[in-house]
Amino acid sequence: MKISVIIPVLNEAENLKELLPFIFKSGGRDLAEVIVVDAGSEDDTVHIARSHGAILLRSQKKCRAAQLNQGAAVAKGGIFYFVHADSRPHPDFARDVSESVKKGNLAGCYRYQFDSSSPLLKMNAWFTRFNGIFSGGGDQTLFIARSAYEELNGFDEYYTIMEDFELVGRIKRKFGFTVLPKTILVSARKYETNSWLRVQLANLIVFMLYYLKSNPNDLKLIYRKMLEYR
C-alpha cells in the first residue's frame, strides 16, 4: 500500500521549503502523493507547495480537522500519513509506516524530540515513547490505514482543537495504536515564543476541559488567549 502524506497549513511557507523536498526524497516508491491543504495563507505557502510538486487544496475552513478530512477525501494511497508543517518525519518513515501496517498495526505515530537543547523540552520529549492518554498528538505525526480511517469516518470536525487526540481515542478503542520506536523532530517555536511553564499550563487546562467535554470552540479561545504565536 502506498502512502498519501497530508499536510494542513496556514502561513507555513518557510517550513514547506524544507519539509516538502524531504518528504519526496524520503518517500521514494512508497509515496503516492503529498497533499497540502491550505486554509487561506497570506504568505508564499501556495506557491511553495505547487512549485515543489505537492497537490494543493484550498480549505474554506480554518480548522485542522476539516483540512485533514479534505485531504483524505482525494487521497489515493492505502495509508494516510498526517504531518504538521513544523514537524520533520523520520527519513525511514515510508518503510516504517508500511511495515507497521503490514504487521497489523492499523494506526500509530512516532516519538519525538524538539529542535532545542532545553533540558525541560528533552524531558517532555522523553515521555512521547509511552502509549498513554497523552500519546498521538499531531506533533508526533499520525499514520492510519485507509480502511480504518474510513470505518471511523475520519476526523470529527466538531473538534476545532484536540481533533488529533479525539481521533486517536477512537482508534485505540477500535483498532489499537502503536508508537514506533524511532524519533522525529518537532519545532520548539511555541515554547520559544512563550515559555515552558506557560505552554505546560495551557496544555493542562485544555486537556482537563477536553476530558470534561467542554465546547471545543471555548477551548480554542482559552488556548489562544494563553499563548502567543509566531
Side-chain angles (χ1 to χ4, degrees), residues 95-171:
R95 183 177 62 191
D96 293 341
V97 168
S98 295
E99 289 181 355
S100 188
V101 172
K102 287 176 183 176
K103 291 177 182 177
N105 301 315
L106 296 184
C109 67
Y110 281 88
R111 305 171 182 179
Y112 69 66
Q113 65 184 33
F114 288 99
D115 58 354
S116 168
S117 60
S118 165
L120 291 173
L121 293 185
K122 287 182 179 180
M123 179 182 67
N124 278 25
W126 185 81
F127 284 99
T128 65
R129 69 190 59 222
F130 300 110
N131 192 359
I133 61 172
F134 298 114
S135 67
D139 286 341
Q140 291 182 260
T141 68
L142 170 67
F143 70 86
I144 182 169
R146 172 192 285 273
S147 59
Y149 175 90
E150 291 178 345
E151 187 169 340
L152 293 171
N153 295 314
F155 289 89
D156 186 340
E157 296 180 20
Y158 168 72
Y159 289 92
T160 53
I161 190 173
M162 302 293 286
E163 75 292 330
D164 40 13
F165 289 100
E166 192 280 329
L167 176 58
V168 168
R170 287 187 284 131
I171 290 171

Side-chain angles (χ1 to χ4, degrees), residues 13-32:
E14 291 306 311
N15 273 315
L16 290 185
K17 287 178 183 179
E18 181 179 335
L19 177 63
L20 292 177
F22 174 86
I23 288 178
F24 279 112
K25 180 180 179 181
S26 301
R29 291 180 296 177
D30 290 321
L31 187 66

Side-chain angles (χ1 to χ4, degrees), residues 191-210:
Y191 291 88
E192 292 168 349
T193 304
N194 299 275
S195 69
W196 181 87
L197 182 60
R198 193 173 185 85
V199 175
Q200 293 298 103
L201 181 60
N203 287 342
L204 177 61
I205 290 172
V206 168
F207 263 105
M208 289 176 59
L209 292 175
Y210 166 74

Side-chain angles (χ1 to χ4, degrees), residues 200-225:
Q200 293 298 103
L201 181 60
N203 287 342
L204 177 61
I205 290 172
V206 168
F207 263 105
M208 289 176 59
L209 292 175
Y210 166 74
Y211 283 110
L212 290 172
K213 308 296 183 183
S214 298
N215 186 294
N217 289 327
D218 293 338
L219 302 188
K220 189 173 184 178
L221 184 61
I222 291 169
Y223 201 67
R224 292 196 172 276
K225 281 185 175 180

Side-chain angles (χ1 to χ4, degrees), residues 6 28 35 55 67 79 147 181 208:
I6 302 169
I35 301 171
I55 297 169
Q67 291 171 259
I79 302 170
S147 59
M208 289 176 59

